[in-house]
Amino acid sequence: MIRMKPRILVVEDDRRIAAAVSRSLSYEGHDVEAVHSGDEALRRVRASVPDLIILDVMLPDIDGFEVCRRIRAAEDPVPILMLTARDEVADRVLGLDSGADDYLVKPFAHDEMLARVRALLRRASPDAGEPLAFGGLSLDPGTMVVSYQGQTFDLTALEFRLLEYFMTNQRIVLSRSRLLLAVWDLDTETTSNVVDVYVGYLRQKLGPDGAGRLLQTVRGVGYVLREPA
């Protein structure tokens, strides 16, 4: 069965930065919630521990270091990526000593943030499932590595989940509505063009003359992963 979207809690008092980070993570395929204070973050974690926390240091009430300490004191192993505008070695050491798993200095490139998020999620889920294979294409849920004939591909989390669903349903024709429900958690076809767009992304990344040929269109129905005729 396809895995649920990773739940990420963004803790950032600058609402502009929080919105930009949340958009990037949502586009990557994560389920994102943003809060703007340390106290609110601790309440959210107590209610339901997310899969990963992106935690700013400078918060208006409890600073990020103390939030991190309290989460670790509660023995929550959730991965924490700490954000700060301070690039001093002492601050980075303090963040890591407080229990953070990684540290990112503002301003940062969103691609770097997304790469660090992927690495932390992989580290936290080493037993995500058995590797899948079809027609020379392989997918490892634990490492999120996709390869074909020795070449590896850099997929977003959403593209990865879509391909994973195809590979767990090999040779089965999947309607757009079924894909929307399984991958996007949507139960309507009003936005079914998103399936077409992301299948197009996958074909392009996998190579239209390579592994991309395995993703075939069934006119009037949807898509199927199967060998070319």
Side-chain angles (χ1 to χ4, degrees):
M1 181 178 291
I2 194 166
R3 292 170 290 126
M4 299 292 290
K5 293 181 181 180
R7 293 174 51 249
I8 298 179
L9 179 66
V10 176
V11 188
E12 168 62 70
D13 66 318
D14 186 321
R15 293 173 184 266
R16 180 183 57 83
I17 294 176
V21 169
S22 297
R23 279 195 302 271
S24 292
L25 293 166
S26 297
Y27 185 79
E28 182 86 351
H30 303 300
D31 184 3
V32 186
E33 180 182 11
V35 298
H36 309 292
S37 71
D39 186 61
E40 193 175 4
L42 291 170
R43 288 200 302 269
R44 289 289 193 277
V45 172
R46 283 194 294 267
S48 178
V49 179
D51 296 302
L52 183 140
I53 298 172
I54 296 179
L55 177 63
D56 186 37
V57 169
M58 301 300 291
L59 297 171
D61 50 357
I62 311 168
D63 69 32
F65 298 131
E66 181 60 23
V67 170
C68 194
R69 290 188 197 100
R70 294 188 189 185
I71 290 172
R72 294 302 184 231
E75 299 184 354
D76 286 328
V78 55
I80 297 175
L81 173 61
M82 191 162 275
L83 305 180
T84 183
R86 302 184 296 194
D87 192 18
E88 298 294 332
V89 172
D91 291 324
R92 281 179 277 167
V93 170
L94 180 57
L96 296 171
D97 284 347
S98 299
D101 296 277
D102 202 356
Y103 205 91
L104 195 56
V105 177
K106 300 176 185 176
F108 52 82
H110 281 245
D111 285 346
E112 181 182 3
M113 178 200 69
L114 294 173
R116 293 187 184 220
V117 165
R118 288 194 293 267
L120 288 172
L121 289 172
R122 284 198 301 269
R123 199 182 307 165
S125 304
D127 299 319
E130 292 296 320
L132 302 171
F134 181 81
L137 182 65
S138 66
L139 178 150
D140 189 332
T143 61
M144 290 188 70
V145 171
V146 174
S147 63
Y148 179 73
Q149 295 182 349
Q151 180 183 2
T152 58
F153 306 96
D154 184 20
L155 304 184
T156 68
L158 190 53
E159 291 164 350
F160 185 90
R161 282 207 311 279
L162 178 58
L163 181 60
E164 183 181 24
Y165 194 71
F166 276 117
M167 294 188 72
T168 55
N169 293 276
Q170 301 170 10
R171 302 187 183 90
I172 298 173
V173 177
L174 303 172
S175 67
R176 289 175 177 82
S177 59
R178 179 170 173 181
L179 290 166
L180 280 169
L181 184 59
V183 180
W184 282 267
D185 297 325
L186 298 174
D187 58 1
T188 174
E189 287 206 64
T190 56
T191 55
S192 63
N193 65 307
V194 75
V195 175
D196 303 328
V197 169
Y198 272 85
V199 169
Y201 289 160
L202 273 179
R203 283 173 171 161
Q204 187 64 34
K205 285 191 175 182
L206 297 176
D209 297 323
R213 297 178 305 142
L214 301 172
L215 284 172
Q216 300 177 26
T217 302
V218 180
R219 293 189 181 278
V221 183
Y223 298 96
V224 61
L225 182 74
R226 65 186 176 196
E227 302 88 345

